[in-house]
Amino acid sequence: EAGVVQSPRYKIIEKKQPVAFWCNPISGHNTLYWYRQNLGQGPELLIRYENEEAVDDSQLPKDRFSAERLKGVDSTLKIQPAELGDSAVYLCASSLDQGTQYFGPGTRLLVL
Amino acid sequence: SQQGEEDPQALSIQEGENATMNCSYKTSINNLQWYRQNSGRGLVHLILIRSNEREKHSGRLRVTLDTSKKSSSLLITASRAADTASYFCATNRYTNAGKSTFGDGTTLTVKP
C-alpha cells in the first residue's frame, strides 16, 4: 500500500514569490493534516481536515497561507507571498478518523 | 507553545546500550504517542499509550506514563546504529482530540 505522497520534495524560491505544496493521503484516510517543522523543533499543526472540511485551522497564518482539500482526498497548501521565515519542512499526514497519523516525507522549503 | 518537552535534547550512546528519553507535558491528556524521525524523512509512529495505561511494550521499546507527574519515558533496549534518529512525543487532549501537539524532540545517536 502506498504511503502519503508529497510533492515537490524540495523547493527554493525568492521571497515574495508564491509556492504550493501537494499531498496525496493514504487511500481511505478521511483526516488530513498539514504541519510545519522548523529546524530543531517538532511539527506544528497548521490545519486539519476531516473529509473536505477544515476543522482546525487556528494555527494557519491566514494572511498568506491557504489550503484546500477538494473532494476530500488530495490537498494543496499555498503560501503567497512567501517570507524568509517560512523556510521550513512542510509535512502532510493522514489518518483514519483520529487514529494513528501516517506522515509523508515532507517538502523542504527554502526562501531566499 | 509546545505541550510536550523532551529531555535530554541530545543523547549519544554505544551500540548495545539502552537509551531513555523523557517527555513532560502541561495539561491533562487523552493519550500520548512517540514518533521517530530519521534525518530528512517524515515521522514514523512508534507507540501510543492511553491515559489509563501505565506501561506498554513494543519489541525493544518500552513506554511508561505517569499522569500524576505529567511525564512519559521511552526506553529503547539493546540499541542499534539504525536507531539513530530524533524521537518526539505528542499529546492528545480530551478536547480537540484529533489534534496532536508535539515536543521538540530528543536526538539520539547510536555509535557502532
Side-chain angles (χ1 to χ4, degrees), chain A residues 48 98, chain B residues 1-4 25-33 51 90-102:
Chain A
R48 173 168 62 97
Q98 295 171 3
Chain B
S1 62
Q2 301 285 38
Q3 158 81 318
Y25 55 92
K26 298 175 183 175
T27 62
S28 296
I29 60 171
N30 182 26
N31 64 65
L32 184 146
Q33 302 169 63
S51 60
T91 55
N92 286 59
R93 302 182 189 182
Y94 287 101
T95 56
N96 200 3
K99 179 176 181 177
S100 296
T101 303
F102 288 80

Side-chain angles (χ1 to χ4, degrees), chain B residues 43-58:
Chain B
L43 281 77
V44 175
H45 184 264
L46 295 176
I47 198 164
L48 178 150
I49 186 165
R50 303 186 190 285
S51 60
N52 61 351
E53 297 176 312
R54 291 297 167 258
E55 187 171 313
K56 285 191 81 170
H57 297 254
S58 178

Side-chain angles (χ1 to χ4, degrees), chain B residues 9-83:
Chain B
Q9 286 188 323
L11 180 61
S12 181
I13 60 175
Q14 293 293 134
E15 207 166 26
E17 295 180 340
N18 296 341
T20 300
M21 290 158 267
N22 303 296
C23 170
S24 60
Y25 55 92
K26 298 175 183 175
T27 62
S28 296
I29 60 171
N30 182 26
N31 64 65
L32 184 146
Q33 302 169 63
W34 285 92
Y35 288 82
R36 182 187 73 227
Q37 184 176 36
N38 291 88
S39 180
R41 309 287 292 274
L43 281 77
V44 175
H45 184 264
L46 295 176
I47 198 164
L48 178 150
I49 186 165
R50 303 186 190 285
S51 60
N52 61 351
E53 297 176 312
R54 291 297 167 258
E55 187 171 313
K56 285 191 81 170
H57 297 254
S58 178
R60 295 183 295 112
L61 306 180
R62 172 177 169 253
V63 169
T64 62
L65 179 64
D66 186 336
T67 53
S68 66
K69 295 181 179 179
K70 293 186 170 57
S71 67
S72 174
S73 67
L74 170 67
L75 169 67
I76 304 174
T77 60
S79 63
R80 305 166 182 169
D83 294 328

Side-chain angles (χ1 to χ4, degrees), chain A residues 36-100:
Chain A
R36 176 171 59 192
Q37 185 176 22
N38 292 312
L39 188 63
Q41 297 182 13
E44 177 186 23
L45 181 69
L46 293 175
I47 189 167
R48 173 168 62 97
Y49 284 93
E50 289 184 7
N51 300 304
E52 63 274 10
E53 181 183 0
V55 297
D56 186 352
D57 63 355
S58 57
Q59 299 288 87
L60 190 71
K62 297 180 182 61
D63 56 336
R64 298 183 300 106
F65 286 65
S66 64
E68 61 181 8
R69 191 184 184 196
L70 300 176
K71 301 182 181 178
V73 181
D74 294 2
S75 177
T76 57
L77 177 68
K78 298 178 181 178
I79 308 174
Q80 183 172 9
E83 297 179 352
L84 295 177
D86 296 331
S87 294
V89 177
Y90 291 84
L91 295 164
C92 179
S94 70
S95 68
L96 184 60
D97 297 321
Q98 295 171 3
T100 299

